[in-house]
């Protein structure tokens, strides 16, 4: 099951589970739309994999399958890609 991480790894923007602006790689590294498209050009800085839109979990499933609360933030991500 997807972690649905709560924030962008590059800029730390909040990405709640219902957000349509979250992008992930196959390892579930998570980025906001701005970082995924403008900063990273659709490639994960960690694995080099493709970033795709993160699916949204139906609201009725969140109670028994909550999103992750673990934030991953790497401020060097944006700096390395400027």
């Amino acid at each position: 099951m997807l972690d649905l991480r709560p924030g962008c790894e590059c800029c730390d923007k909040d990405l709640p589970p219902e957000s349509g602006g979250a992008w992930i790689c196959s390892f579930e590294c998570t980025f906001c739309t701005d970082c995924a498209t403008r900063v990273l050009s659709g490639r994960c800085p960690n694995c080099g994999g493709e970033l795709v839109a993160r699916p949204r979990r139906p609201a009725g499933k969140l109670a028994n399958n909550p999103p992750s609360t673990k934030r991953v933030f790497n401020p060097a991500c944006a700096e390395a890609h400027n």
Side-chain angles (χ1 to χ4, degrees), residues 2 4 19-25 31 33 36 50-56:
L2 289 175
L4 298 180
S19 174
W23 295 77
I24 60 172
C25 71
F31 305 95
T33 296
E50 174 185 25
L51 295 175
V52 297
R54 180 181 75 184
R56 289 175 258 181

Side-chain angles (χ1 to χ4, degrees), residues 8-55:
C8 176
E9 290 185 27
C10 260
C11 70
D12 205 33
K13 177 181 179 177
D14 289 338
L15 295 170
E18 67 276 2
S19 174
W23 295 77
I24 60 172
C25 71
S26 65
F27 291 97
E28 297 184 55
C29 300
T30 305
F31 305 95
C32 70
T33 296
D34 284 341
C35 289
T37 58
R38 294 182 183 158
V39 176
L40 304 172
S41 300
R43 291 280 161 209
C44 177
N46 303 316
C47 70
E50 174 185 25
L51 295 175
V52 297
R54 180 181 75 184

